[in-house]
Amino acid sequence: MNDHYGMGISSRSTTSYFTSSTPSMAPDEQHDILEGIFFGPRDIVRHSKWPYFLRLQGSVLPRMIIPLLFVGIWSTTIVCVSKLVYDLGISSVLLTITGFVVGLSLSFRSSTAYERYTEGRKYWSQLLLTSRNTARLIWVHVAERNHDADGKETPEIAKQDLLNKIGAINLLNAFAVALKHRLRFEPSVEYPDLAPLLTGLDTLAGAADQAELHHRKPSPIKAAGQYLGISFAESNPRKLIKRAKHNLGNTPLEILTYLSAYFEAVYQAKMLALPIGQAQCMNNLASLGEVLAGVKRVVNTPLPVAYSISIAQITWAYVITLPFQLVKTLGWVAIPATILAGYIILGLAAIGRELENPFGQDVNDLPLDAYCHELANDIDALISRPPPLKLEDWMRGGGAKVMWPLSGMEYKTWESKSVEEIRDLLKAKAASIDVKRERVMTMKMSEGLTPVVQDPEKSKA
């Protein structure tokens, strides 16, 4: 939820192709150890060997410092008064009754928060899948013309068509990056990972004054308050949008409009002749529009405030009354017992608040930068080679082993066989036990397991 912690922008520069596959951090973030541990989103590529109960990254411990300090002072006061002045202890029956209500409310809060988290992940999976399919349709099925309208051979037209295809595919990257910034309430178009992808596009946000659309660095006191989770130090994450003097529009939606215009030009030029290809492109654009509407629904429909207030009041009332109920049976041990119970109960409530918006900058939020970078790398790999339209180059000329694992002979060898012989071999391939055994052994070897070679004679017996 803490969208105000900074922008965490990662630029996809030329050097990023040859270095890490994960988004790079800003220089000041690389030297800030605490920010690397307690701010995110978490780098999904990194692997930690520490046991979970000893890990700090992803923990809500920083936000629990102030609440636990208050709980410790409160419980110490109650226990000291009960032991030294007047007995304030009450029956533990209330502990049993209210414990059920607290458990029910925390379960409700956790389930609704995790549901929003998984729903956000599903929408981004849909975005990645649709973008990859659309990029493949453009790269393979959109033709590159070699002749002009008069039938004259013109290489320049093919070059323009190729560049247009690359530009349209880059718009898919632009849509993902623009959606990431919109979900984090960052309306500017001058972010390093977005500005190069929007070059030449006329957007409403691009026409606005960009100086007013960037977050200002918070003061040290405010930054410390945000780090500790103090509500009075948190800013409205939508403040840049509220203070804007111009209509900032909807940049991801405007990008989809430019993509739709590209497909219309392709249809008019008859560069995508198959109707099913045209329908698939339109369906993919509709799917991206569905993603845009879905993630905005997740962001703009939080848990009703009445539930949030009630859950907060129930949990705090339970923690505050704990020392009164524990002092009779535990004595001075009621102080650490109350702190421990407070950490468990208030910590679960804090996790629910953190997961309520899965698109922010918390460690446990979805790594949107990594998703955008993954999509960019997949598209770069797709367009790094010409579309494999000539089967001679990779099927016959590549020596495909079409009868593997029944036979390791290449494509050219089987050309000397008749159609009947090939069909008979296919029938034998389906009925062969050795083929199935070979596939099982190959699968085990791919999983790093030691293959078990059985004697065919023993198998028959």
Side-chain angles (χ1 to χ4, degrees), residues 214-379:
H214 289 284
H215 290 278
R216 297 178 182 178
K217 186 177 181 180
S219 63
I221 297 178
K222 187 174 183 179
Q226 294 173 354
Y227 173 73
L228 296 174
I230 301 176
S231 60
F232 293 101
E234 296 180 358
S235 301
N236 184 358
R238 295 176 171 84
K239 64 180 181 180
L240 295 179
I241 301 175
K242 292 179 60 177
R243 296 176 182 176
K245 301 178 181 179
H246 306 279
N247 181 15
L248 301 179
N250 189 335
T251 303
L253 184 60
E254 295 175 67
I255 293 173
L256 290 183
T257 303
Y258 281 98
L259 261 176
S260 184
Y262 168 77
F263 285 123
E264 178 63 24
V266 167
Y267 303 156
Q268 295 296 333
K270 298 181 179 180
M271 298 166 61
L272 187 59
L274 294 178
I276 189 173
Q278 300 176 6
Q280 187 66 40
C281 291
M282 291 295 100
N283 290 337
N284 288 349
L285 288 180
S287 180
L288 292 177
E290 181 183 352
V291 170
L292 176 60
V295 293
K296 291 299 293 181
R297 175 174 57 82
V298 173
V299 169
N300 294 328
T301 314
L303 188 69
V305 66
Y307 278 112
S308 299
I309 294 175
S310 178
I311 292 172
Q313 292 173 343
I314 290 172
T315 53
W316 272 106
Y318 182 81
V319 172
I320 288 176
T321 56
L322 267 179
F324 295 96
Q325 303 172 72
L326 298 179
V327 65
K328 277 191 173 182
T329 56
L330 300 181
W332 294 100
V333 183
I335 298 175
T338 303
I339 297 175
L340 178 61
Y343 176 76
I344 295 173
I345 296 171
L346 299 178
L348 290 174
I351 293 174
R353 289 193 300 270
E354 183 173 318
L355 295 182
E356 192 173 19
N357 177 14
F359 307 121
Q361 298 283 8
D362 295 322
V363 178
N364 293 300
D365 287 335
L366 293 174
L368 303 186
D369 295 285
Y371 297 157
C372 293
H373 199 79
E374 178 185 358
L375 175 62
N377 286 341
D378 291 341
I379 289 178

Side-chain angles (χ1 to χ4, degrees), residues 157-194:
I157 294 182
K159 186 188 302 182
Q160 292 176 4
D161 291 342
L162 174 60
L163 293 175
N164 290 338
K165 288 166 66 173
I166 297 174
I169 291 175
N170 284 337
L171 288 181
L172 296 171
N173 288 334
F175 175 81
V177 177
L179 182 60
K180 175 193 70 174
H181 287 294
R182 183 171 180 83
L183 293 175
R184 293 176 176 175
F185 310 108
E186 299 168 348
S188 176
V189 297
E190 289 187 349
Y191 299 106
D193 58 347
L194 180 61

